[in-house]
Amino acid sequence: MKVFVTGGAGYIGSHTLVQLLAAGHEVCVFDNYCNSSPAALARVRQLTNRDLTAIDGDIRDADALTRALADFAPDAVIHFAGLKAVGESNAMPLAYYQTNVTGTMNLLAAMDAAECRRIVFSSSATVYGEARYLPFDEDHPVAPTNPYGRTKAMAEGVIADWATATPAASAVLLRYFNPVGAHESGRIGEDPQGIPNNLMPFVAQVAVGRRDKLAIFGDDYETRDGTGERDYIHVVDLAAAHLAAIGYAARAEGCQAINVGTGQGITVKELVAAYERACGHPIAYEVAPRRPGDVASSYAATDKAERLLQWRTALDVDAMCASSWRWQSENPDGYPGGAED
Ligand code: NAD
Ligand code: WQD
């Protein structure tokens, strides 16, 4: 299949490229590298010994997208490109709406012009907002509590309406829970700019000595040990879900929202303990106040993914931490500054 991948140089995109290329798909990446590096694509080429086309372009540029899709003529699109930091979305909401919503609308219009009818979209469990019950199933009300989440919910709505209006269209909205870990080679991984917002990359940077200690945001939640509980999913399992989703989109019409998680909650302290096993030394931490907006627990109902995609996770928390540690310890400063490696 010919697959057009927006945001393919990013964390989840690069891991998905490895599996797309290994499966024999022809790939065109469209990325402006605002939160990634061409070095990731160079490493994907090395890992797979396969080539891909890369276009340096911005999804806010409708003309550039239209040209790229017309030239490549894809069978399917995987749409990773987007801005993803909750805190930043509070500070600059319009930038989030422009990239995540307008960018998605530009992409759908370019798909129409190129007569491409299949899209797999990176959505997020954050669209559910406060849990009314757990596990979150796909029928849980969508009520995001921050601008980032609202852009994802809005993009989902735009894609669903497009799928309804477009004959033979197929859209899969993948609602990721908490992606972590890295490719087992240690050659590609998550490379956040500045202070990591998320738990796993922060723990990894403490483990490698880039930061002194972790702040655990609250130990008085109603969970097994008082710390927040999340559904961490290995990025390699998540990448496999995208291959399953393009396969599903090729055989089914319409629009489906599908959770992508393990179904299991892991607390902050459990994740730290697993990381200590992986890196072989203690991780320094202190307990700090709760982070505003955080919930006690979040985990996925996974039966819809199993039923529609015939996909489920295979990798456990020890594999997540071991692969993260390999990437972090072999690349303590992430990718080399934008250059080919
Ligand atoms: P990432 O930042 O590593 O990757 C996003 C990619 O999109 C980057 O390569 C970036 O340069 C590119 N990009 C951003 N704006 C662009 C623009 N205007 N034009 C072209 N390219 C642009 O993030 P990721 O973790 O790989 O996330 C991928 C997608 O998954 C995002 O849409 C994100 O919202 C979603 N998601 C991520 C998580 C997570 O925890 N990582 C969870 C749920 C959903
Ligand atoms: C996990 C747990 C924190 C950092 C976010 C986004 C969500 C999605 C995934 C994109 C919580 C605790 C964290 C730290 C800590 N992204 N923590 N110390 O908040 O579940 O989800 O990323 O779609 O939209 O909201 O993930 O990794 O930030 O936090 O104690 O330094 O770790 O309180 O319990 P979260 P996270």
Side-chain angles (χ1 to χ4, degrees):
M1 223 185 268
K2 290 173 78 174
V3 188
F4 188 84
V5 184
T6 72
Y11 170 47
I12 302 167
S14 57
H15 289 82
T16 304
L17 294 180
V18 169
Q19 295 187 26
L20 286 170
L21 292 170
H25 296 294
E26 191 182 335
V27 172
C28 176
V29 170
F30 187 93
D31 200 308
N32 68 354
Y33 307 111
C34 68
N35 195 38
S36 60
S37 158
L41 299 181
R43 291 190 179 187
V44 166
R45 290 186 182 97
Q46 284 173 355
L47 277 174
T48 58
N49 205 21
R50 298 283 305 261
D51 203 4
L52 56 85
T53 304
I55 296 172
D56 184 346
D58 193 314
I59 58 168
R60 292 169 297 179
D61 181 346
D63 291 342
L65 261 181
T66 302
R67 277 195 306 275
L69 272 122
D71 287 349
F72 186 63
D75 301 301
V77 170
I78 305 181
H79 180 30
F80 294 107
L83 302 178
K84 64 166 183 176
V86 172
E88 189 182 62
S89 79
N90 286 309
M92 38 194 291
L94 296 187
Y96 274 67
Y97 283 97
Q98 265 154 8
T99 296
N100 294 359
V101 182
T102 309
T104 299
M105 290 166 61
N106 290 341
L107 179 61
L108 293 169
M111 288 173 63
D112 278 345
E115 296 184 5
C116 177
R117 306 261 181 270
R118 296 177 205 146
I119 183 167
V120 175
F121 173 60
S122 297
S123 190
S124 170
T126 202
V127 298
Y128 295 125
E130 196 82 36
R132 305 198 187 167
Y133 57 85
L134 285 172
F136 282 113
D137 60 31
E138 292 81 355
D139 296 326
H140 187 284
V142 166
T145 57
N146 56 68
Y148 166 69
R150 283 188 280 276
T151 66
K152 286 291 174 185
M154 215 174 269
E156 282 196 359
V158 171
I159 294 168
D161 287 342
W162 169 86
T164 302
T166 306
S170 182
V172 183
L173 314 172
L174 293 180
R175 293 178 177 160
Y176 311 160
F177 278 67
N178 289 62
V180 296
H183 189 263
E184 62 173 1
S185 66
R187 295 288 292 158
I188 57 173
E190 187 171 13
D191 184 16
Q193 309 301 306
I195 301 171
N197 298 306
N198 296 117
L199 177 64
M200 180 77 119
F202 202 107
V203 169
Q205 292 192 6
V206 175
V208 84
R210 262 173 81 174
R211 302 193 186 274
D212 289 344
K213 61 182 167 203
L214 170 72
I216 294 185
F217 298 145
D219 68 351
D220 57 352
Y221 285 106
E222 282 192 25
T223 60
R224 287 183 289 289
D225 58 21
T227 64
E229 185 185 29
R230 297 289 182 276
D231 187 339
Y232 297 97
I233 173 170
H234 199 306
V235 67
V236 169
D237 277 333
L238 178 54
H242 291 80
L243 274 80
I246 58 169
Y248 174 78
R251 59 181 186 269
E253 292 178 11
C255 180
Q256 295 287 349
I258 304 179
N259 287 340
V260 193
T262 65
Q264 304 251 306
I266 291 171
T267 68
V268 176
K269 284 189 173 169
E270 288 166 351
L271 190 103
V272 169
Y275 215 97
E276 289 175 336
R277 289 195 293 278
C279 73
H281 59 261
I283 308 283
Y285 69 81
E286 64 182 6
V287 175
R290 291 182 179 193
R291 184 172 63 179
D294 272 357
V295 297
S297 294
S298 166
Y299 47 92
T302 59
D303 40 310
K304 188 171 180 186
E306 289 179 22
R307 188 160 40 83
L308 296 190
L309 304 182
Q310 279 101 52
W311 165 92
R312 69 173 70 177
T313 59
L315 299 165
D316 65 8
V317 68
D318 287 310
M320 299 176 205
C321 293
S323 60
S324 163
W325 175 239
R326 183 153 195 196
W327 155 253
Q328 188 67 64
S329 55
E330 292 179 6
N331 306 269
D333 300 313
Y335 290 110
E340 292 283 293
D341 186 28

